[in-house]
Amino acid sequence: EQERIGRLLDEARAGRSGAIVMYGETGVGKTALLDAAAERADGMRVLRVSGVEDVSERPYAGFEELCRPLLGGIGALPDTLRQALSATLGLAAAERGDRIAAYAGALWLLAAAAEEDPLLVCVDDAHLLDDASLEALAFIAGRIGAEGIALLVATGGDPGTFGAAEVVELQPLDRAASLTLLERSFGDELSPTVVAEVVDVARGNPLAL
C-alpha cells in the first residue's frame, strides 16, 4: 500500500494528478497510511479533511474544511465560480446556488495552489462526511488530471462513491505480521500463551492488537 501511495506522490510531484481510495474495517490501518503519506510528502503542501460523526448532518462541513486554507486565491476565480463558491461557503449573503459551479470553483482553487507546490489532499473517515461534501470530493476526484494533485481518501463506506479513483482494500494482518506488531509494541512483556490468544482474538486487526 505504501508503494502505491508513493507512486501517487511521485506523479503529483511530476505535475500529474490521481486519486486512491482506501477502505476497510475500523482499525485496519487507514489513518496510519494517511499519516505515513503526509510524512513522505516532501516538497508538497498537505491539506487534511476528516469526517466527524456529530457534524455529518451539516451540509458542506467537509467541503468548507477543504476550501478554507485556499480561500486567499478566491478573488482570481471567474465570476460565476467565485459567486457560487462564496455562496456555498457562506462567504456571501446570496443563497446557495449552483453546487456544481461551487465544486468547480474548489477544483480551480486546488489547481491554482498546485501551481505553486504539488498538493496532497488527505481525507480521513470519508464515510462520516455529509452527503454534499462527499459529492464535492467525488466531483474533484473525477476531474483532476494534470494539476499535480494527489487525493488520498480513507473510508469505511462504499469506495464506489469516488467513481474511477483507484481502490485499495486494506486486508487484516497475517499471523506473522500480527506477531511482529505485538513484539514491537510489547517486547517480551507478554507470555507466549497470551500472545497466541491475542492474535487469535484480534484476527489481524492492528488496532485490536
Side-chain angles (χ1 to χ4, degrees):
E1 287 83 3
Q2 293 200 64
E3 288 177 2
R4 296 169 83 170
I5 292 169
R7 291 195 295 270
L8 180 73
L9 300 182
D10 289 342
E11 289 287 306
R13 292 188 185 100
R16 296 179 290 274
S17 299
I20 292 178
V21 178
M22 303 180 296
Y23 79 103
E25 63 182 11
T26 299
V28 78
K30 301 183 293 295
T31 300
L33 284 169
L34 290 180
D35 292 341
E39 290 175 3
R40 297 173 60 185
D42 298 331
M44 303 180 71
R45 181 178 180 183
V46 180
L47 303 178
R48 303 200 70 153
V49 178
S50 296
V52 180
E53 198 160 9
D54 60 355
V55 297
S56 62
E57 298 304 317
R58 182 163 67 86
Y60 299 101
F63 185 58
E64 291 175 12
E65 188 177 0
L66 172 65
C67 294
R68 193 179 303 120
L70 307 173
L71 291 179
I74 195 170
L77 267 64
D79 289 346
T80 301
L81 301 187
R82 186 182 69 254
Q83 292 168 6
L85 184 58
S86 296
T88 297
L89 297 178
L91 303 176
E95 294 184 5
R96 286 176 177 149
D98 186 346
R99 68 184 192 284
I100 301 302
Y103 304 161
L107 178 57
W108 185 295
L109 288 180
L110 289 167
E115 289 181 359
E116 299 180 10
D117 295 297
L119 288 182
L120 169 61
V121 181
C122 293
V123 182
D124 201 3
D125 288 328
H127 57 288
L128 297 179
L129 291 171
D130 59 277
D131 291 343
S133 295
L134 276 175
E135 183 182 53
L137 286 168
F139 177 95
I140 291 167
R143 286 163 178 80
I144 53 177
E147 304 86 358
I149 300 169
L151 175 61
L152 190 57
V153 179
T155 183
D158 179 10
T161 301
F162 297 91
E166 180 182 359
V167 174
V168 175
E169 181 180 6
L170 301 186
Q171 301 292 339
L173 302 180
D174 61 23
R175 187 173 186 84
S178 296
L179 291 170
T180 298
L181 178 57
L182 286 176
E183 182 180 355
R184 289 180 179 176
S185 301
F186 299 100
D188 58 0
E189 296 177 42
L190 304 179
S191 73
T193 301
V194 171
V195 168
E197 290 178 354
V198 169
V199 169
D200 288 342
V201 171
R203 299 182 181 275
N205 184 294
L207 182 59
L209 286 163

